[in-house]
Amino acid sequence: YPADSLASMNFWICHPDIFDYIETALKQFITNNNNLEKGEVYIPLVLQEYCGANQIPIGVLQCNASWFGITYAPDKEAAKSKLASMQEASVVYPDPLWKQL
């Protein structure tokens, strides 16, 4: 893909009907996957399939934020560090992230 291609990595807003579709995809994954430890159900692909079946429209809102996240357990520390630095700089995320209830 070209470097300036749009990608949706940060936030999804879906109608609750999507969970039935995701559940079906998850059941297929568990039934048909020989590598459950490393395999994944990729939500963007599930949404692409759902959209391709003319079930939902998908829109994109552009932003300039950098993506980071957790896919595997070793990613956790890097994500924690990134969140902490963003909180310290008061960039995007407040400190604390969640109010104590």
Side-chain angles (χ1 to χ4, degrees):
Y1 295 101
D4 61 349
S5 295
L6 293 178
S8 181
M9 300 295 293
N10 295 326
F11 194 69
W12 295 96
I13 300 173
C14 299
H15 189 276
D17 290 347
I18 190 65
F19 294 107
D20 291 333
Y21 198 83
I22 292 171
E23 181 178 6
T24 300
L26 183 59
K27 286 178 182 177
Q28 289 173 352
F29 170 78
I30 291 170
T31 301
N32 300 325
N33 194 309
N34 295 327
N35 189 12
L36 290 176
E37 183 178 317
K38 296 271 184 181
E40 298 181 45
V41 174
Y42 294 104
I43 299 299
L45 292 180
V46 171
L47 290 173
Q48 183 178 356
E49 290 172 7
Y50 196 57
C51 183
N54 294 320
Q55 298 293 317
I56 58 170
I58 293 180
V60 176
L61 299 175
Q62 191 170 353
C63 73
N64 295 321
S66 297
W67 180 88
F68 68 96
I70 300 172
T71 301
Y72 301 106
D75 301 336
K76 179 180 176 182
E77 291 307 314
K80 284 173 58 176
S81 177
K82 179 71 171 176
L83 282 171
S85 68
M86 292 174 83
Q87 287 176 302
E88 288 171 13
S90 297
V91 177
V92 182
Y93 296 106
D95 186 11
L97 281 175
W98 292 275
K99 294 180 184 178
Q100 297 296 321
L101 299 177

